[in-house]
Every structure is written in C-alpha cells, then in structure tokens.
Amino acid sequence: MAGIAVIGAGMGALAAAARLAVAGHRVTVYERTETYGGAVRRFERDGFAFDTGPGLLPLPAVYRDLFVKTGKEPLENRVELVQVDPAARHVFADGTEVSLPNASRAGVVAALDEALGAGAGQRWGDFLVRAREAWDRTRRPLLEEPLWPNWPVLAEREPYPALPHKRLLRTRRAGTLAEIGAWELRDPRLAALLESHALAYGLDPRTAPASAAVLPYMEHAFGVWYVRGGLRELARAVYERCVARRVEFVFGTEVAGIVEKDGRVAGVEFAGGGTADAEYVVAGAAPGTPSGFDAGAVPRGEGAVPPRRDMPSRLTVLLALRGGRPEGTAHRTVVHALDREAEWDGLFGTASGPAATAPTVTVLRPGDPSLVPDSAHETVTLTATVPAGRTAGGSAAAGQESAEALAERMITAAARAVPGLRDRLLWHEVRTPADIERETGAKGGAVPAPALASAGGRLLHPANSTRTEGLYTVGGWSHPGGGLPHAGMSGALVAGLVVEGPEFRGSQ
C-alpha cells in the first residue's frame, strides 16, 4: 500500500483516484477550488440549472468500465443515461435542415439523401467506412495504451485512407479535414457537417489532419448520451465513488510544486506553505497553474511531444425561457456559420478576436424537468468556440463588452433554430474563457482537444509517465487528451502504470 497524492479533482484525476484506491493505495486529492469535477460544473438561478461544461456524453463505456472496476456496479445504478435521438439536427447556411438519427448508418444515409439530395447520404456513408478504418488503426495506441517512446510512428503515419483525387493533372489524397470535405464529400453542407466536429474541439479544419475523421465516427458508432439532471450528475457519481472507496479530499488547497528526493517523487508542496509526503504523485493540473506540467513542475515524458499552445476556448450563453419545450424538439441543434471562412479566420487567423459574423453555434435543449422551475419554462444552452483568452479584451470591462456582443450574435444565430427565441427570453448568463480559467486553472480558459494521429505529432499530448520516477500526469492536458471519455481513459492508464509499473500495456 502506497500513499498517493492526486493534484486536482477533474474527471481524469477522479477516475485515477477511484481505481488506485480500489487497488489498495491511500489516496488524497488536493483541489485548489472548493468543489470537484474540473470543467464539469453547474450554474443555478431562479430555479433554472445548466451544465457549464460538456452537455453530452460520447463513449459512456469508459465510465461504465470505471464503475464496474471500482465496485462491480453498473453506472446506470448511479445516474440515468438517456440516448439522444436524433443525435443532432443541423441547420446549414443556406437554410437546409437535417436531423441525423443516433448510431444508425442507414438512417443517416436516408436522412441526408432526403434533405441534401440523392447521393449525399451515400457519400457520407462511404466516408464513415473510411473513418472507421482510421479508428481501427489508431484506437489502441491513442486511447488504450500509454504513449510510448516510439510515438513518432503515430506522428508520421496518416491512418485515414483518403480517396485519390485528380487535381491539375496530379493525383492527390486528402491530408486535412477540409480537403476531405471538398474532394470526397463534394457538398458544402456535408463539408460543414464534417468540419463542425473539428470546430467543436477548437481544431481548424484547414490544418486538422485527415485522421480527425475519427471524431464524427466515434459519435456515429457509439452514439451520444445525456445524463438526466445534467453532466454534473456524472461528476457527482464519480466523486461519490471515490469517497466510498475512502479517497480523502482536501479542497481549497493549491499545490505549488513537487517534492523530489534522489530523482524520485517524495511529495507535494502547498502554495500556502508546508508539504505532504507521497510515494506517488498524479498531477491533473492544467498548464499555467503552479502545479501544471507546463510550468515545469511536472516534467514531460521522455521523448514526448510538447503540449499544444494554440488551443481555443468556449463561450457559453445560458438562456432561461418562458414557455415549455415543444414536443419533438431535438436535444442538440448545430446552427452553422453563414460564412465559414470568416469564422475560421476569426478563430485561427491573425484577427484580434472572433469574427464579426455569427459563429457556428451548438444549441442544447435537454427538456429535463429537473433543470427548470416548472413545465412552463425551458433551459437552452448555446456554445461556440472562441480564441482562448482573446474575449478578455484589454480590461475586465472591455472583455465583458466583447463577450456580450458575441453572445448577442450567438442568440441571433440560435433564433434560426428556435422560433420565437427572443420573445421567450427571460434572462441570459454569459460564461467566458475567463470563467473557465478561474474554474480549471487553464491559461486563457483553453480547452484541450482529443489526441489525434499524424500532423507531425502536434495533436498528441504529453505522456502520462514523466522523467521523475513516481510522477504521472492525468486528465485532458495529458495523453490521450481532452473530452470526457479521454479524461476517463487517462485515469485508467495512470492507474495501470502505478499498479503494474512500466510494463503496463493498457487494457486488453
């Protein structure tokens, strides 16, 4: 039995803590804020409740596995999972709409053919077949195994089997997501559908590798799920599982550094003074925090690529509406930007802030009675990708003014999908990158993306192991990257490395 200090109470850290405690270790979690869950939080006002982080759960099998492995109990005993159907409704720039069934290739093909014209569904279905091949080639090394020193193999090899494309008497293959859309899907609406999956994670479709095709494939193959009561209920369930396994939590305590002795971790040092001994340290802190690996306190794994520094953030607008949610309303609607190129330039170009046009907006309308004061009201959450830190402006007042202006454009965009939205609006609350930074510690409110193959390794994340013996990293800022499923996977990888040692090769 070893004493283990876990820095941070984000979802990856909680997953690691629960698994390590079940393995017989004494685990203490030090969290600088007063609650658990990292970015998975809740905002409440006037009887309305909203998720302020992720609103949907892909790959619930990750958390099902966690609950089975830490208590031989189904996740569904602790939270109510609801499969979202349709998986998403899309409103394109030209006004075309399509609702895509959840986890049904035949249903998706039929829906696209009906909405976009004959052949559109087949092209998307054929793309998903190729995306599955990329998934099969990368699933294990990217998600189920630690990042080994031979990571350049993942960096150099493009796993997506792009179709040959003749261009100017030359045969080329798509190397980016935008090229897949232009050369293989051949419809701006299908291209926008594909690119929206990259934008949701802050990836520029013009530079995101073709391997990013796994993002829509994951959603298609494994479905999209909602946790009744909001995703905060999942965080609560994982926290309670940790408590049940006698994990100790110390909230309101910031770790400022790692204590080393003879080249091995020996404990943690607190910002307010003092230290705590530990035989192992699992660091879930974000870059920019005193204990974050980007600050040097947690060295990167030998030979691992450096973390990305251009990760965008999110702006979220919480809407309280009078009037109940109409029957048959889609849980999620993606309202695509009217000008895709302008949106990309604002996000990823040299502009000083988001584009003046409305960005791509994700509209969540959960229809969950537990989130509203009564059936005569509705909660709606709007989310858009924005540059990390740039909506903060030159001052707090300027930053709030910039955020409010963008929020107004987002509400205008959402009105294309929600009839009478402004007439029903009681109040709205704007959540900026500054709020994400305050809650997670990530500089500029940056949000990490999942690890992806190829692209020279720039979309990989630092390894869970480090050059300091006994020191590991966990969560979205380390392998295998951001997103709720990936955070849970990082917890499983770290627990395996601690329990089984360097010979651990991941789940079988």
Side-chain angles (χ1 to χ4, degrees), residues 81-115:
L81 286 177
V82 181
Q83 191 168 22
V84 176
D85 200 11
R89 170 187 171 217
H90 289 263
V91 178
F92 297 106
D94 67 353
T96 306
E97 298 186 17
V98 62
S99 292
L100 302 179
N102 200 340
S104 169
R105 183 180 184 278
V108 167
V109 167
L112 289 172
D113 275 344
E114 181 178 354

Side-chain angles (χ1 to χ4, degrees), residues 234-300:
L234 177 64
R236 174 195 56 76
V238 177
Y239 167 73
E240 290 178 352
R241 173 51 50 91
C242 288
V243 172
R245 296 301 170 260
R246 299 182 180 175
V247 174
E248 181 182 355
F249 285 84
V250 183
F251 293 105
T253 300
E254 184 169 16
V255 174
I258 308 299
V259 178
E260 295 183 30
K261 184 177 181 180
D262 299 327
R264 180 181 172 82
V265 71
V268 293
E269 179 182 355
F270 302 115
T275 62
D277 294 337
E279 296 167 70
Y280 295 91
V281 173
V282 176
T289 59
S291 54
F293 57 75
D294 201 32
V298 182
R300 292 182 288 110

Side-chain angles (χ1 to χ4, degrees), residues 109-469:
V109 167
L112 289 172
D113 275 344
E114 181 178 354
L116 308 186
Q122 186 63 48
R123 289 196 299 278
W124 182 259
D126 291 344
F127 156 74
L128 288 175
V129 172
R130 295 188 291 277
R132 176 177 180 173
E133 188 169 336
W135 167 260
D136 290 340
R137 291 173 176 175
T138 60
R139 174 184 57 83
R140 185 162 180 79
L142 273 180
L143 301 180
E144 298 176 358
E145 295 180 346
L147 189 65
W148 302 114
N150 66 343
W151 64 265
V153 174
L154 285 172
E156 298 160 2
R157 183 180 303 164
E158 173 53 68
Y160 178 78
L163 293 178
H165 172 74
K166 288 188 176 181
R167 182 180 176 89
L168 299 178
L169 303 180
R170 295 173 56 197
T171 298
R172 301 179 60 187
R173 293 179 182 271
T176 68
L177 216 58
E179 289 174 343
I180 292 176
W183 299 353
E184 298 181 9
L185 298 179
R186 305 191 308 279
D187 184 309
R189 296 163 298 184
L190 286 179
L193 170 59
L194 170 64
E195 294 154 359
S196 66
H197 291 272
L199 287 172
Y201 287 107
L203 300 172
D204 186 344
R206 296 168 297 189
T207 59
S211 66
V214 300
L215 298 176
Y217 174 76
M218 287 169 57
E219 184 172 300
H220 163 77
F222 305 109
V224 183
W225 303 77
Y226 173 68
V227 178
R228 188 74 69 187
L231 268 290
R232 179 65 177 175
E233 287 300 293
L234 177 64
R236 174 195 56 76
V238 177
Y239 167 73
E240 290 178 352
R241 173 51 50 91
C242 288
V243 172
R245 296 301 170 260
R246 299 182 180 175
V247 174
E248 181 182 355
F249 285 84
V250 183
F251 293 105
T253 300
E254 184 169 16
V255 174
I258 308 299
V259 178
E260 295 183 30
K261 184 177 181 180
D262 299 327
R264 180 181 172 82
V265 71
V268 293
E269 179 182 355
F270 302 115
T275 62
D277 294 337
E279 296 167 70
Y280 295 91
V281 173
V282 176
T289 59
S291 54
F293 57 75
D294 201 32
V298 182
R300 292 182 288 110
E302 191 66 38
V305 294
R308 284 182 62 201
R309 302 180 185 276
D310 60 341
M311 295 183 186
S313 185
R314 296 191 184 107
L315 191 79
T316 302
V317 186
L318 313 176
L319 307 178
L321 303 185
R322 63 172 61 87
R325 177 179 182 266
E327 188 71 25
T329 296
H331 188 121
R332 175 176 58 168
T333 298
V334 179
V335 182
H336 293 265
L338 297 177
D339 189 332
R340 290 155 58 204
E341 291 290 340
E343 176 183 28
W344 298 350
D345 288 341
L347 273 173
F348 310 111
T350 58
S352 60
T357 58
T360 296
V361 177
T362 298
V363 182
L364 295 183
R365 305 177 69 182
D368 186 339
S370 68
L371 304 183
V372 291
D374 53 51
S375 60
H377 294 86
E378 182 184 3
T379 62
V380 176
T381 301
L382 314 181
T383 306
T385 300
V386 299
R390 286 202 228 159
T391 54
S395 66
Q400 190 60 35
E401 182 179 353
S402 172
E404 287 288 353
L406 178 56
E408 280 298 314
R409 294 197 293 274
M410 291 170 62
I411 293 173
T412 297
R416 292 164 50 198
V418 185
L421 174 60
R422 288 192 180 275
D423 292 337
R424 298 176 57 198
L425 184 60
L426 293 171
W427 51 261
H428 74 272
E429 181 80 17
V430 180
R431 304 276 301 179
T432 71
D435 295 307
I436 297 175
E437 180 173 3
R438 184 180 64 254
E439 294 175 353
T440 69
K443 188 174 181 180
V447 178
L452 293 173
S454 68
R458 64 182 176 85
L459 295 177
L460 298 176
H461 293 262
N464 308 106
S465 301
T466 73
R467 290 188 295 270
T468 301
E469 188 178 354

